[in-house]
Amino acid sequence: MAHNPWQRWGRGRSGGGVVARPPQRALGRHRLRHLLDAVGAVSTDMETRTVLRRIVEAATDLVAARYGALGVLNESGKVIDLITVGIDDPQPCAAMGLPQGHGLLHTMVDDREPLRVADVAGHPRAAGFPPGHPVMRTLLGVPLMVRGTVYGDLYVADKRDGTPFDDNDEGLLTALASAAGVSLENARLYEQLRRAAEHFQRRMLPVIPDLAPLTAAARYEPASELPRLGGDWYDAMALPDGATCVVVGDVTGHDVEAAPLMGQIRNMLRALAFDRGGPPGLVVSRLDHALTMFEDPPTATLVFGRIERTGGAGGGYTFGWSNAGHLPPLLVGADGGTRYLAPARHGIPVGIEASVPRFSHELPLPPGSTLLLFTDGLVERRDQDIDTGLAELAEQAARLATAPLEELCDALISRSRQVFDDDVALLALRIPSDGPAR
């Protein structure tokens, strides 16, 4: 908590016993600087509830008050949330519930004007304090406006030096509330944009079809911070020759162009796999040549593969794949054994050079095993080596080797954090075992 701006000036006596006062110009500059710092603190985040807490903290600090609170209102004026500062034990406030939207505090909402009270208990509209609530003697409040609508009531109580709130305090809090309204509107617009971007991205991804006797599940999570439009995708479909085509990829870039480019590459790859077929390396090579039609070809990393039966209806399964600069798939055995499919002949991303050869690889898939294809957002952290993330993924997947695929995917997505530095696309496929598919 910042010190009271009046406390920086001594109370020593000058001639004639008159108490020395700070120069008004210096005091004005100090308060202006304090206000600018408070506005800056409020404007440093784009998550609405974080902005609300910063507003209360800044208001309390700005006028050196012991207590601060912000009651958030719905369209009918009912308090739907309450953020408090200065109460050491938040449990009594939680037990009391939200304010009922009447009495002293609602005066400023009704009048849309600041409210300053030197004696709370003596005010005609005071309703008293619930049991356990700190007793507050003086109060200063202002309505918090967003686009002409009262969003909430911001108030502080009891200055630390024991003096009542004055005109300067009211002016500072009113100015902060005005700036806070802009910050709140920005936070709301940011969240609307984030939701719209995520909705757009999800609509561009396919619904995984029935691939029986294989079972499949997929997940997509956008990056936690804007821009949320990204180029990660997954896809799976049955091919005319009976094989199952699977792909996970990541278009270079994270802006408004990445998602449409992802859609173009995904559709091109689908058409090439469905119409022409062939080994995975050949399909990816054809995609390389198809991308040359662009004046500035998009680039992407991807794993493209085919899962097919060998030896007829009673035979096993094999996975044939080609890797274009992407992280290797993870094979999880029914016994919990794990293996990253990372052969030495690793291709470069598509869209860079069409003449570069592509390689195909093949591996038997044991009964009951699970194949995981994913993008780097699942294993990358800003503060750790990617090998650590890969090891952690394999370890958790091993523990869930026989879990239902939906449960496995949910656990892998949420395994260590709620914040994603990058988009995440995850595709899981399970090979039938001797028992029923799960």
Side-chain angles (χ1 to χ4, degrees):
M1 188 71 67
H3 62 272
N4 186 333
W6 288 93
Q7 292 176 344
R8 63 180 292 187
W9 301 96
R11 298 184 62 85
R13 296 181 178 276
S14 60
V18 178
V19 176
R21 294 182 178 272
Q24 291 302 310
R25 183 175 298 175
L27 180 59
R29 286 199 300 266
H30 177 81
R31 282 180 173 263
L32 178 59
R33 183 69 220 174
H34 209 177
L35 173 61
L36 292 175
D37 289 343
V39 170
V42 166
S43 306
T44 56
D45 206 285
M46 281 293 178
E47 196 276 321
T48 300
R49 206 168 198 285
T50 303
V51 171
L52 292 173
R53 172 154 290 277
R54 288 187 183 277
I55 291 171
V56 184
E57 291 171 344
T60 309
D61 180 55
L62 187 61
V63 297
R66 293 185 181 277
Y67 308 106
L70 195 160
V72 181
L73 309 178
N74 63 10
E75 293 181 356
S76 62
K78 181 180 179 181
V79 179
I80 57 173
D81 197 5
L82 182 68
I83 295 94
T84 63
V85 167
I87 300 175
D88 295 332
D89 185 1
Q91 291 185 353
C93 282
M96 293 170 207
L98 298 174
Q100 298 303 306
H102 55 74
L104 178 59
L105 293 179
H106 211 66
T107 301
M108 71 182 102
V109 176
D110 295 336
D111 298 341
R112 297 194 174 195
E113 295 289 342
L115 174 68
R116 196 161 86 227
V117 180
D119 179 15
V120 172
H123 194 278
R125 292 194 64 177
F129 297 100
H133 193 287
V135 175
M136 300 173 183
R137 295 175 175 81
T138 62
L139 181 134
L140 172 63
V142 293
L144 193 60
M145 311 283 289
V146 177
R147 287 185 176 268
T149 300
V150 180
Y151 186 91
D153 44 20
L154 172 65
Y155 53 95
V156 292
D158 294 355
K159 293 181 72 170
R160 291 186 175 275
D161 64 0
T163 61
F165 295 104
D166 57 23
D167 290 341
N168 287 327
D169 296 321
E170 182 179 319
L172 287 171
L173 202 62
T174 302
L176 175 63
S178 178
V182 175
S183 295
L184 269 176
E185 180 67 6
N186 288 341
R188 291 169 64 178
L189 291 173
Y190 177 91
E191 290 185 356
Q192 290 174 9
L193 176 60
R194 185 169 60 182
R195 289 193 297 269
E198 181 177 343
H199 179 71
F200 175 76
Q201 182 86 18
R202 291 186 185 280
R203 289 292 298 270
M204 294 189 69
L205 293 171
V207 175
I208 300 299
D210 183 4
L211 301 173
L214 302 176
T215 53
R219 294 290 185 275
Y220 172 79
E221 287 293 332
S224 299
E225 298 180 0
L226 287 177
R228 292 170 69 87
L229 286 175
D232 292 26
W233 88 94
Y234 57 78
D235 203 357
M237 64 177 180
L239 297 176
D241 62 5
T244 297
C245 165
V246 295
V247 60
V248 160
D250 183 1
V251 173
T252 302
H254 294 87
D255 53 28
V256 292
E257 294 183 358
L261 289 173
M262 173 269 286
Q264 290 178 309
I265 293 177
R266 180 176 68 86
N267 291 335
M268 292 169 72
L269 191 54
R270 267 192 160 222
L272 290 168
F274 193 89
D275 183 53
R276 303 290 297 277
L282 179 59
V283 176
V284 176
S285 181
R286 288 173 179 154
L287 176 63
D288 266 324
H289 285 85
L291 291 175
T292 61
M293 73 174 65
F294 291 89
E295 181 177 347
D296 183 16
T299 60
T301 68
L302 60 88
V303 172
F304 172 80
R306 289 167 51 95
I307 300 175
E308 51 192 318
R309 264 186 169 159
T310 56
Y317 289 82
T318 62
F319 177 51
W321 78 99
S322 184
N323 191 322
H326 201 79
L327 290 173
L330 175 63
L331 180 62
V332 184
D335 60 356
T338 60
R339 173 186 175 184
Y340 281 105
L341 308 185
R345 303 174 81 183
H346 198 73
I348 65 173
V350 296
I352 294 178
E353 177 51 65
S355 64
V356 173
R358 295 293 176 183
F359 308 106
S360 295
H361 314 284
E362 193 170 282
L363 184 77
L365 297 175
S369 62
T370 303
L371 184 66
L372 298 175
L373 294 87
F374 53 93
T375 57
D376 53 9
L378 187 63
V379 293
E380 275 191 336
R381 309 287 188 280
R382 292 175 183 173
D383 57 351
Q384 79 176 25
D385 187 85
I386 193 171
D387 288 339
T388 302
L390 289 168
E392 291 175 351
L393 173 64
E395 181 180 346
Q396 177 141 13
R399 292 196 297 268
L400 297 165
T402 59
L405 283 190
E406 298 292 340
E407 179 183 326
L408 171 65
C409 288
D410 286 340
L412 295 182
I413 285 289
S414 62
R415 62 196 173 92
S416 62
R417 69 202 194 286
Q418 298 297 318
V419 176
F420 294 95
D421 297 334
D422 198 354
D423 302 39
V424 177
L426 171 65
L427 177 63
L429 300 109
R430 180 158 293 161
I431 306 303
S433 59
D434 294 335
R438 302 178 69 186

